Amino acid sequence: KHEDFATAQRANRLLRRLSPSTAAPILWDRLAKLTQRSQVQEVEDEILRLPSSIAIKLLPVDPSGMSLAAKGAWARIAAARINGYGKSRRLAIKGAMLPLLKGSANELTEAAWASVPRLFSEADRAALTEASQGLSERLAPKAKAALDALPAK
């Protein structure tokens, strides 16, 4: 099965180079279905290599139904590409990100907290402070750093 993934990944990489707009929906669909972290990371890298306008257009607003690793990738991609979103889409992504900030320390919650300074502003501090209550010792410093780095916008 790993050989099948490697073959498909090479085909997707070639397709991304030839036609990013054709490759983007395929890559997002694959990301949503993958569960193994190493495979998710490879697809995430390919999505981040897409032109921003294409990656943003097809970014799912809500990552529900994805594996933990895929949700983490979604959070990292959303944070990396946030500047190209319209206001309503940005609000929807912020709304989907808030529940991901709570929970046990894992790849997903770490990625969600890492995205806070890029997605949220000082106006969101109350909701973020509430989400940061009761976090583990591993996540608490990351949450504090994210809250300290909030832009004043």
Side-chain angles (χ1 to χ4, degrees):
K1 186 158 181 164
H2 185 68
E3 292 172 2
D4 294 340
F5 174 81
T7 302
Q9 188 62 14
R10 282 192 295 276
N12 285 331
R13 187 172 295 123
L14 180 60
L15 182 60
R16 177 190 52 80
R17 290 176 182 161
L18 296 174
S19 176
S21 60
T22 304
I26 295 168
L27 289 169
W28 278 114
D29 186 53
R30 290 195 67 209
L31 181 71
K33 293 176 182 173
L34 291 173
T35 57
Q36 289 186 355
R37 182 177 293 154
S38 61
Q39 293 176 349
V40 167
Q41 286 174 334
E42 287 188 45
V43 174
E44 176 186 355
D45 289 345
E46 289 302 316
I47 290 172
L48 287 170
R49 288 185 180 110
L50 290 169
S52 291
S53 60
I54 294 171
I56 289 167
K57 190 185 323 177
L58 298 170
L59 177 77
V61 174
D62 185 9
S64 59
M66 292 184 184
S67 70
L68 185 71
K71 285 180 183 177
W74 175 86
R76 287 187 293 274
I77 294 167
R81 301 291 193 209
I82 192 63
N83 291 335
Y85 298 132
K87 189 171 187 169
S88 63
R89 189 161 169 96
R90 187 181 184 116
L91 285 172
I93 289 172
K94 283 168 59 172
M97 191 71 71
L98 265 174
L100 303 179
L101 298 171
K102 301 172 186 170
S104 59
N106 57 39
E107 177 183 4
L108 172 58
T109 50
E110 288 183 13
W113 277 106
S115 73
V116 164
R118 295 200 43 118
L119 285 170
F120 296 91
S121 66
E122 188 63 37
D124 304 308
R125 182 175 288 279
L128 293 169
T129 302
E130 182 183 327
S132 70
Q133 300 304 313
L135 292 177
S136 69
E137 290 180 19
R138 178 174 149 193
L139 272 180
K142 294 175 192 229
K144 183 179 179 336
L147 289 170
D148 292 344
L150 282 176
K153 296 181 202 176

